[in-house]
Amino acid sequence: MKVFIRNIKDTAFACDALILPAPEGKGAGYYEDIDKSLNGLISKVTASGEFAGKRNETCLLHTSGKIKPERVLLIGLGKRQELSPEKLRQAGGRAASYLRDLKIKDLALSTHLISSLNLSPADFTEGCLLADYRFLKYKKEENHNGIKKITLLTGEDLQKQVRWAGAAASAVHFTRDLVNTPSNIMTPSALVRAARSLKRVSVKVIGRSEAGRLGMGAYLSVAKGSDEPPAFIVLAYKGKNIRPVTLIGKSITFDSGGISLKPGEGMEKMKYDMAGGAAVLGVMKAVSEMKLPVHLICVLPAAENLPGGSATKPGDVVKTISGKSIEIISTDAEGRLTVADAIEYAKRFKPSAIIDIATLTGACSIAFGNEAVAMMGNDEALMEKMKRASGETSERVWQMPLFEEYRDYIKSDIADLKNTSGRSGSLVSSAYFLSEFAGDTPWVHLDIAGTAWTDKDRPYIPKGATGIGVRLLLGFLKNL
Ligand code: BES
Ligand code: MN
Ligand code: ZN
């Protein structure tokens, strides 16, 4: 979907559908001019109760040649005093999916009401863009005939905001595609190809033998049961000559649990265990396209976690780059093993901050369902910045504590650490495990196990991979 901006009257712009956002209450009053031209049609549907302006309510009307737009779509915004950028994004998402399902191609948005409420039409547009996504690669008969374009009817200069929304949404779509793609296709090598498809980004791939030479024993132990070659992917983008920020994305292309095999039910979903890595690639895509003045190093320790003749076994002891030894209690607690080596590797770049994003624990989705990313870290100021980005993007994060008592949870009798103490407290103890590798480097951990996948359609997130983290991290980098 392309976005255009034109300074022209709502009634004078020819299109398939003109979107009229309307809060609860005043009804037609918001659009007196258009209502008059339509012989009071809008007043009629509001008076009859066919359209009340409830949040995300829709009402489509044909204009029968009385004004230039072929149709008008009333989209409810809910109560005026409860409006926010997020509600606007959701209304945009709902309007776009409604019109898309009717195969309507050419849209326009009336912006003066949104602007008069001190909100930005760019947020509504972002919702439209994010919603116009379907994963149909493996459907022979269907193809994605999405919306062709939307024109914002306004005299305001929204160019910059709209460009940002467009880059963010296409990065989110890129990430969703990677995550939705099944693991027989989305292998570590496929992630390498995705990384190499990005422009203005240098990519280095460390394979099994070089990783061995570097001492990445924790990372490699996860890949041992699979014939699929692991790939430790390092991307660099330098838009400014400053100390880098490092983003690490958990990239397990399939998590069977390994020898500590998961139950069969729902195991198919474990293709989304690379959602952290995919989010990081999405961020890199948008950052490099927008040429942001940042210095980013991204690390994706990609591997497939399978049981097999040479797989790691519970009780095995492995070493990370720095030589720390880890007793592997469960081969299903594999994410932290890969991220631990990635954190140690990232420290080589002397980053100003390390952010890791990972579908790390089932406990995260038990605690928050689909509604929040769990955040932990060793630097309050950094976490405050993440909270700010969370507020702006509505990719919600919620901070959890790293009490020093959790140290006991990961004490091993025979090694420096063990990779799990079981399920009690595992959302935080997994983060505590990572903190042992971050050391003094400012570090934030984001657990996206609950938010990376949705089983139900949401206003601008169709079911499947959500692309969580992309907009959050972009917002975070933008504010730096
Ligand atoms: N990838 C899983 C976590 C996960 C579960 C993500 C459900 C998304 C949905 C992770 O590797 C894992 O298996 N974690 C275990 C750790 C346990 C063995 C300590 C868990 O949380 O059950
Ligand atoms: Mn696992
Ligand atoms: Zn996993």
Side-chain angles (χ1 to χ4, degrees), residues 255 262 305 332-334:
D255 181 13
K262 286 183 180 293
N305 186 22
D332 197 12
E334 84 297 339

Side-chain angles (χ1 to χ4, degrees), residues 260-327:
S260 314
L261 195 64
K262 286 183 180 293
E265 206 187 310
M267 205 203 269
E268 74 284 352
K269 291 238 191 90
M270 279 301 111
K271 68 174 183 181
Y272 88 79
D273 216 15
M274 37 62 77
V280 166
L281 288 181
V283 172
M284 201 51 141
K285 179 178 155 66
V287 162
S288 59
E289 268 174 24
M290 300 284 292
K291 300 187 185 152
L292 290 193
V294 294
H295 185 185
L296 264 194
I297 308 268
C298 298
V299 183
L300 280 73
E304 187 177 64
N305 186 22
L306 291 189
S310 47
T312 295
K313 303 166 292 295
D316 289 0
V317 173
V318 296
K319 276 187 182 171
T320 63
I321 300 177
S322 71
K324 258 201 185 92
S325 63
I326 303 166
E327 182 186 8

Side-chain angles (χ1 to χ4, degrees), residues 82-125:
E82 289 174 8
L83 259 170
S84 64
E86 172 62 7
K87 300 267 162 62
L88 212 53
R89 267 193 293 272
Q90 293 187 3
R94 177 73 188 111
S97 21
Y98 179 88
L99 293 168
R100 192 254 335 265
D101 290 348
L102 295 174
K103 305 202 163 50
I104 291 173
K105 302 276 173 225
D106 178 8
L107 319 183
L109 173 67
S110 168
T111 60
H112 58 260
L113 182 113
I114 296 174
S115 300
S116 75
L117 297 169
N118 275 327
L119 289 160
S120 171
D123 287 316
F124 189 95
T125 312

Side-chain angles (χ1 to χ4, degrees), residues 250 252 254-257 262 270 273-274 305 331-336 359-361:
K250 174 174 172 183
I252 300 299
F254 188 76
D255 181 13
S256 70
K262 286 183 180 293
M270 279 301 111
D273 216 15
M274 37 62 77
N305 186 22
T331 63
D332 197 12
E334 84 297 339
R336 63 200 79 180
T359 47
L360 208 64
T361 66

Side-chain angles (χ1 to χ4, degrees), residues 397-428:
V397 304
W398 201 261
Q399 189 179 342
M400 302 297 267
L402 284 185
F403 302 132
E404 60 184 348
E405 283 75 6
Y406 291 115
R407 178 73 186 70
D408 290 346
Y409 288 47
I410 49 170
K411 259 190 192 149
S412 161
D413 291 334
I414 65 163
D416 297 329
L417 296 170
K418 61 180 177 183
N419 74 335
T420 168
S421 57
R423 293 165 73 187
S424 165
S426 72
L427 171 58
V428 265

